[in-house]
Structures are given as structure tokens and as C-alpha cells.
Amino acid sequence: MVRLPYSTALTTLFSYGLLFAFGHLRDFFRRIIDSRKPTTNLKDYAPICLGHEDFYTRRLFNRVQDCCNRPIASAPDAWIDVIERYSNDGNKTIHRTSKTSRCLNLGSYNYLGFAAADEYCTPRVIESLKKYSASTCSVRVDGGNTKLHIELEELVARFVGKPAAILLGMGYATNSTIIPALIGKGGLIISDSLNHNSIVNGARGSGAAVRVFQHNNIAHLEEVLREQIAQGQPRTHRPWSKIIVIVEGIYSMEGELCKLPEVISVCKKYKAYTYLDEAHSIGAIGKSGRGVCDLLGVDPADVDIMMGTFTKSFGSCGGYIAASKEIIHHLKQTCPAHIYATSMSPPAVQQVISAIKVILGEDGTNRGAKKLAQIRENSNFFRSELKKMGFEVLGDNNSPVMPIMLYNPAKIPSFSRECLRLNVAAVVVAFPATPLLLSRARICISASHSREDLIKGLEVLSKAGDISGIKYFPVEQEKTTSVEKLKKIQ
Amino acid sequence: MGRRGKQPYYVEAAPPVDVNKNTEWFMYPGVWTTYILLLFFAWLLVLSVSGCSPGAAWTVVNLAHFAITYHFFHWKKGTPFAADDQGIYSRLTWWEQIDNGQQLTRNRKFLTVVPVVLYLIASHLTDYKQPMFFLNTVAVFVLVVAKLPNMHKVRIFGINADI
């Protein structure tokens, strides 16, 4: 639920209308002027784009391409080297220079600071690289199953609180190949309307019927469940073979937590299975870092399938599914990503093992607990300061992801370029990752950000926000939160 | 926002449950007002640029509105961006896509009433005089017929049928 001034809604719609009008005008003239030039020698080949599918990319996205896909030249730690680029033809082609600028990194999913070299993890990773080499060059069921993989599966299962786990080499592929292995034709998938593309892809690929419920709206979920159970399968009205409700721990575009206890109770009432995607929440929230179940006090045994990725908090790559022994046994025999895809790279596995050991405190220090406390403190501080400055910030407390609403299409590049000019690397998200009118800048806080880094970030965001005009809410306590006062507290 | 003391009027926008990204923008607050304001400012623009009578300006706006809305709502099919939906909307015009294909929703009723109101204003202010009256009538007839529920997915004489 976002609150925006009415005039902003009107101007945003008008701006998009204007951009579309100019885009169509340019297309019209291009068709006239370029009609005699043969565009391609491929006669009788079908066109790559059906109709006007590439209109948005050509006329809207290409204007602001320099705000996306920025190449970097260092590890994505709290500070990052962004390669400077220039364009001579209005962003149609962008060229790299050899200069880099050192920017504060507010865009990486580096929640616990494992993205750069770590004193416990990195030596062990280098050792495993020498011992097991960079890739197993084989699938898990063939020659790709090493001691590290088995150790990590047991460790992940223990960390998350489930009896068993299965590892896969890619987070996106985890969702898109596991869901078809769990449910097929004759089943029903009920997924939150803001679920990630990987879940949507997996649901479409499974062949099951898919229904969507309004984001975090438990009453609507119950309504959809009741209606679907009563109706049964389409046309035959036979009962569904199984019903899976898919929700995420933290929704990365909203920064919100899901209402897990209520979802579990509704699912238990109607005997539906629950699938929890903890890509952003595992390792980042909860007292001991065990994710949204830890934070909201839900017993992991109540969630049927827990999925997560190692890309965000553990500084590695890959994904896992944790569930009961029978489900994992079934998945190991049916999931195509397990049987046919190369297993996770051994150094990446070692990185996750070391990272989990640090979080659990099994490396002999309390760095894990310190990191968790640091990220919680950083997130709450940053979010409350941003709100005091008048920005519209989404997301719940304790969530390290905070989207700042921009709305107007012109504010997207203005905010992004101004931040880069002042040496802060912030990520802006627009259509089609978000709804058309609700474009935002997404800030991800890390445990490796120090208090000075955060204060500098706040200063720059405030300046960029003033220039772009995105402080939609009144500033609270105007005099007491000036940046000078914050610096004095240090 | 630049206002001192006086709070701006806020609206709440809950994300709508429309999986079709091509049409879900139409369910947000402020869309109807923007549409009406656009028509009004277009009329002012035509008046100020050409200096013709108000009725003639409304006729121009009505005909331009006919051309633009017919092209974008009832002629172009599919989505203007590469959605990952395997092309399920590639045979449907925008009008057939909105509200998930449900007929007679509030949005559809509003969009059907707007050409009729434009027609009434334009015809009244031109005193029902001949060439304008005929053109306005053709415009409103085509637009309203195109929006009727019975015309859902109908392609007359195969015009604009699929590739």
C-alpha cells in the first residue's frame, strides 16, 4: 500500500502518456523515412519481435540505459568501484572509459558483508579451490557430489531447522525447476501477486492451474482458497490433487515481510501446502539469522517447503530447498536441475559453509552475532532517518531492503545520475519489474556499512532527493535531524 | 512538494491483482482524472493555436480522440514490451485485455461514456451543422460499437485479424 499525493499520480500518468506519444511519433517518422532502405537481407524469415513488443525497450528504456547495468571493477563491498561511461548518441550506445569512481554501495544484496574478502571464509575458499578446483564438471548424481556438498546440505538443514535439504547451482533455477517437480497438472498453485519471476516461471512450467491473491492480504487468500476448493478443477470440477500456497519471506521490491503466521494458519485450516521463498530473508533477519521464521516466531516444521538462495546473505551462488526427508528424497530423483545440471562449484559451497559457521558462531568468535546486530541497527537507523527527511520509504522495520518511491519517469534517471555524481551507487527500478506508476530506488543496507558510511549516504540521498523532488511527505522535526547534528553524535 | 503548512491531498494505491502489466496501470487512482484533464487541455491547445470557434475546437478534439483511441485501444494488439507471458495477449487488443477480459466493469463503462459526452459537447457547440455533425456521429458510432460487450474478440470482415 503506497500513499502518494494526488497531483503526483496525475503528473506521472501524464508523463508516461507524453513519453509514449513521443515514442510513437518517432516510430511513425522512422517508418516513413526509412521505408525505402532495406533493413535486412533476411527474406522470408519471421521477424524477431512480434508486432510492437520492443517499443518500450527502444523508446523508453534506452533513453535511461545508463542508469542500469553499470559495470563495476571491484568486489561489491560497502564501497565499490563503478566504471565511468559516456555516450555520444543519446544513450543508444554507451562506451566505457578506463576510469573508475569509488562509490558508496547502496545497491548490493550484501546483507552480512560476506561479499568481499572475509578473514574466516576467504582462506578456506582458496584452499578448497586448490583442492577441488573451480568446477566439478559433472552433475550431482554422476561425479559432482563432493564431501563439501554433503556437508553443506546437512548444515543448511540444521541451520534452517528442517530434517533435510537439497542444493542447486542457481537460485532462479531452484524455483523454476523445483516447482514443476512438486506439482503438475491437476494441482493448484496460489501465489502472492508480487512473487518473483522465478516462481511465476516455475508455476507456469509445472502445468498446474495458477491463481493469484492480493499481496499480503490474508482475507483474500482465504477467499481464493475457499472458492477454488469449492469449484475444483476447471471444467471437470474434480477436487484438486494438491494445493500449494507460495509466499516470499521478504519481498525484494517492497521490503515487506510476509504475514507468515496468518498464512500458515489459513493453509492448515484448508489443508494446503506452504512454500516459503526466503531468498532475501535467510541470514539477514531474525535473532540468529535464521530468516523470517525466526523473526516472526513460526516453527519451521509448520512450513512444508523452505527455499532460499546463497547469493544474498552468504556471498556465494546457488539455492537450496529444505523440507522433510521424503520430499527431499523425491526431489533428488525428479528435479531436473539436480539430475542434469552441473553441481554447485566447490569453492562456492565452501564459502557458504564458512559463512553459515560464522553466523552460527561455530568459528569460535562472535562475529556472526555482531554482524546480525549491526545489520538490524543499520537498517532501522537508515529507515527512520529517511522517513524523517520526508521520503516515502516502503518496507517493515528490521528489513534491510528499503525502496524509496520515485513515481515520475523523469525522476528515475535524475535520482540515479545525481547519486552517481555524488559517489553513491543506488539502484533504481522501473517497469516492468515494478508496476508502471510505482517506480522506486531500492536501497540495500549491509552489515559492513559503518555509521559514517550511512550518514554520508543519507546526506547524498537527501541532496539527490531535493533535486529530484521526491520528498513527498512533510519533514518531521525539521531542525533536529540535520546532518551536522548527526555528525556530532559520532 | 513545496507546500508550506497545507498538506497535499494523498491517495492510497494498493497493488492491483492484475497480472497483465499492459493494463494494470489503468487500475490506479488518478487515471480517469488524467484522461479528462488531457482532453480539456487538448481543447485549450487547439483553441489557442488555431483561434477557431469553441465548437470547431471540440470537433477537432473529438476526431483526434477517435483516431488515437481507436488506434491504441482497438487496433494495436499485444503488449508494447516483451512480457514473459508466452504471448497470450498477442491476439487481443488493449480493450479486450483490460480488467482481464471481464465486460461491463467500471473502467469499461467510463471509457464508453467519454466519447458520447465528447460527441454531445461537440455537436451542441457547433449547432448540429452539417459537415461536423456527420464526422462527429461517425466517430462516436464507431467507438461505441467497438466497445460493446458483443464485439469482444470479433473481427468484422477479417479486418485486423491475426497474422
Side-chain angles (χ1 to χ4, degrees):
Chain A
M1 188 71 73
V2 294
R3 291 183 67 216
L4 62 158
Y6 196 53
S7 50
T8 309
L10 297 180
T11 51
T12 311
L13 286 163
F14 176 71
S15 314
Y16 273 106
L18 197 65
L19 282 169
F20 267 87
F22 270 98
H24 279 287
L25 204 62
R26 287 185 179 197
D27 274 353
F28 175 67
F29 280 110
R30 186 174 88 153
R31 230 176 324 154
I32 297 181
I33 293 176
D34 284 351
S35 62
R36 258 164 294 136
K37 248 192 282 180
T39 45
T40 162
N41 299 332
L42 300 173
K43 210 162 133 31
D44 296 330
Y45 275 70
I48 286 183
C49 286
L50 191 63
H52 252 216
E53 260 180 4
D54 55 346
F55 176 78
Y56 178 79
T57 312
R58 273 183 300 113
R59 294 299 177 198
L60 272 80
F61 179 71
N62 278 356
R63 285 168 170 247
V64 296
Q65 319 193 57
D66 66 313
C67 301
C68 304
N69 303 332
R70 290 190 181 134
I72 59 175
S74 73
D77 200 11
W79 288 80
I80 192 174
D81 287 327
V82 178
I83 296 180
E84 295 175 13
R85 304 189 287 175
Y86 66 92
S87 171
N88 293 329
D89 51 5
N91 279 345
K92 257 204 264 189
T93 52
I94 308 187
H95 307 281
R96 297 199 301 259
T97 64
S98 52
K99 293 200 298 169
T100 64
S101 57
R102 190 137 189 90
C103 302
L104 177 66
N105 185 5
L106 289 179
S108 293
Y109 302 138
N110 180 18
Y111 299 137
L112 293 180
F114 284 116
D118 186 78
E119 59 190 20
Y120 181 80
C121 301
T122 310
R124 288 172 175 72
V125 167
I126 297 180
E127 206 184 292
S128 77
L129 179 64
K130 291 190 191 141
K131 187 169 171 197
Y132 291 101
S133 90
S135 168
T136 58
C137 300
S138 177
V139 296
R140 276 298 290 283
V141 294
D142 201 356
N145 199 13
T146 67
K147 212 169 57 169
L148 288 177
H149 291 88
I150 304 180
E151 187 186 339
L152 181 57
E153 283 186 346
E154 289 169 7
L155 190 57
V156 160
R158 184 159 62 90
F159 182 63
V160 160
K162 290 296 244 179
I166 176 178
L167 286 185
L168 295 159
M170 185 178 158
Y172 189 103
T174 308
N175 272 329
S176 49
T177 53
I178 290 286
I179 298 178
L182 288 173
I183 190 171
K185 197 152 180 291
L188 173 66
I189 295 177
I190 303 185
S191 87
D192 190 291
S193 68
L194 294 181
N195 270 344
H196 189 252
N197 203 342
S198 53
I199 299 176
V200 173
N201 222 323
R204 284 208 185 116
S206 67
V210 182
R211 298 283 176 268
V212 168
F213 71 93
Q214 263 173 30
H215 175 61
N216 259 350
N217 188 344
I218 307 299
H220 193 238
L221 169 63
E222 187 161 352
E223 190 190 311
V224 170
L225 265 171
R226 288 176 72 96
E227 189 192 324
Q228 291 305 318
I229 294 179
Q231 291 268 10
Q233 297 186 28
R235 280 197 298 268
T236 58
H237 294 294
R238 295 207 193 118
W240 300 101
S241 63
K242 63 175 87 116
I243 303 183
I244 302 188
V245 174
I246 306 185
V247 288
E248 287 189 29
I250 291 187
Y251 290 91
S252 61
M253 286 302 157
E254 315 287 311
E256 273 179 356
L257 298 162
C258 83
K259 296 186 182 149
L260 195 57
E262 290 92 338
V263 169
I264 304 276
S265 68
V266 165
C267 289
K268 281 203 165 143
K269 188 166 151 195
Y270 293 97
K271 307 264 188 342
Y273 295 111
T274 37
Y275 182 110
L276 178 64
D277 177 339
E278 287 210 88
H280 284 267
S281 50
I282 190 73
I285 56 179
K287 245 194 230 71
S288 51
R290 289 168 204 250
V292 71
C293 290
D294 196 8
L295 185 70
L296 297 177
V298 171
D299 185 7
D302 285 337
V303 181
D304 295 297
I305 298 156
M306 299 176 72
M307 176 264 178
T309 60
F310 301 125
T311 346
K312 280 84 180 179
S313 309
F314 304 107
S316 181
C317 66
Y320 70 86
I321 298 271
S324 69
K325 284 206 165 69
E326 293 84 16
I327 298 181
I328 299 295
H329 186 69
H330 165 81
L331 285 176
K332 283 193 172 169
Q333 294 173 325
T334 52
C335 174
H338 186 257
I339 304 177
Y340 303 114
T342 316
S343 61
M344 236 172 112
S345 157
V349 177
Q350 179 59 47
Q351 162 74 17
V352 184
I353 295 178
S354 315
I356 294 186
K357 291 223 166 93
V358 171
I359 296 176
L360 287 176
E362 287 172 13
D363 61 328
T365 68
N366 67 342
R367 281 175 63 223
K370 271 205 293 213
K371 277 181 195 276
L372 288 167
Q374 180 81 5
I375 187 176
R376 197 166 35 237
E377 215 179 283
N378 283 355
S379 322
N380 290 337
F381 169 68
F382 209 76
R383 179 177 266 116
S384 60
E385 288 301 319
L386 282 177
K387 283 196 173 149
K388 281 193 207 142
M389 286 184 196
F391 287 108
E392 177 167 1
V393 184
L394 305 182
D396 297 332
N397 270 331
N398 290 324
S399 151
V401 179
M402 37 201 94
I404 303 178
M405 298 307 294
L406 298 171
Y407 301 117
N408 288 69
K411 297 182 182 176
I412 304 170
S414 130
F415 188 77
S416 173
R417 289 170 193 159
E418 190 59 31
C419 280
L420 188 63
R421 208 175 59 83
L422 298 169
N423 286 340
V424 163
V427 168
V428 288
V429 205
F431 189 79
T434 63
L436 186 67
L437 305 175
L438 305 181
S439 48
R440 59 204 71 179
R442 187 177 64 179
I443 307 287
C444 296
I445 297 295
S446 152
S448 52
H449 284 134
S450 65
R451 207 28 101 91
E452 293 85 34
D453 293 337
L454 294 183
I455 293 179
K456 170 171 197 306
L458 285 168
E459 206 181 295
V460 167
L461 289 180
S462 181
K463 274 204 209 107
D466 276 328
I467 292 183
S468 309
I470 55 178
K471 295 188 175 171
Y472 295 115
F473 286 159
V475 178
E476 293 175 26
Q477 301 166 26
E478 256 161 306
K479 299 289 186 247
T480 56
T481 58
S482 64
V483 178
E484 291 77 31
K485 259 224 158 184
L486 280 172
K487 285 197 173 125
K488 280 196 202 134
I489 298 176
Q490 284 304 294
Chain B
M1 272 303 295
R3 287 191 191 214
R4 305 267 187 90
K6 190 166 172 222
Q7 297 282 23
Y9 171 59
Y10 288 100
V11 287
E12 300 227 324
V17 190
D18 185 358
V19 285
N20 183 1
K21 295 197 154 149
N22 192 16
T23 60
E24 55 119 39
W25 61 271
F26 208 72
M27 303 203 193
Y28 279 92
V31 181
W32 291 11
T33 313
T34 308
Y35 190 18
I36 296 175
L37 283 179
L38 267 176
L39 289 172
F40 179 67
F41 282 118
W43 176 68
L44 281 182
L45 187 68
V46 170
L47 257 188
S48 49
V49 162
S50 66
C52 56
S53 72
W58 275 118
T59 307
V60 170
V61 168
N62 192 12
L63 295 177
H65 172 258
F66 165 51
I68 295 177
T69 54
Y70 188 78
H71 180 73
F72 286 111
F73 291 177
H74 302 284
W75 188 266
K76 292 215 84 54
K77 296 192 284 197
T79 57
F81 50 87
D84 280 331
D85 55 12
Q86 287 113 20
I88 42 181
Y89 303 117
S90 59
R91 293 170 179 226
L92 298 180
T93 61
W94 190 83
W95 179 257
E96 288 157 3
Q97 289 175 31
I98 57 173
D99 289 331
N100 258 319
Q102 270 178 316
Q103 299 299 324
L104 299 177
T105 60
R106 290 187 71 202
N107 278 334
R108 286 185 185 234
K109 288 183 191 164
F110 170 73
L111 287 174
T112 317
V113 161
V114 168
V116 174
V117 168
L118 271 181
Y119 170 66
L120 291 173
I121 298 177
S123 331
H124 174 76
L125 288 178
T126 57
D127 290 329
Y128 305 92
K129 280 212 263 297
Q130 228 352 300
M132 279 92 69
F133 183 62
F134 175 66
L135 295 170
N136 283 331
T137 313
V138 164
V140 80
F141 182 71
V142 171
L143 281 181
V144 171
V145 163
K147 295 180 163 74
L148 290 176
N150 315 58
M151 295 296 281
H152 185 70
K153 291 203 207 170
V154 168
R155 307 269 179 260
I156 309 178
F157 300 133
I159 301 176
N160 202 18
D162 308 311
I163 320 131

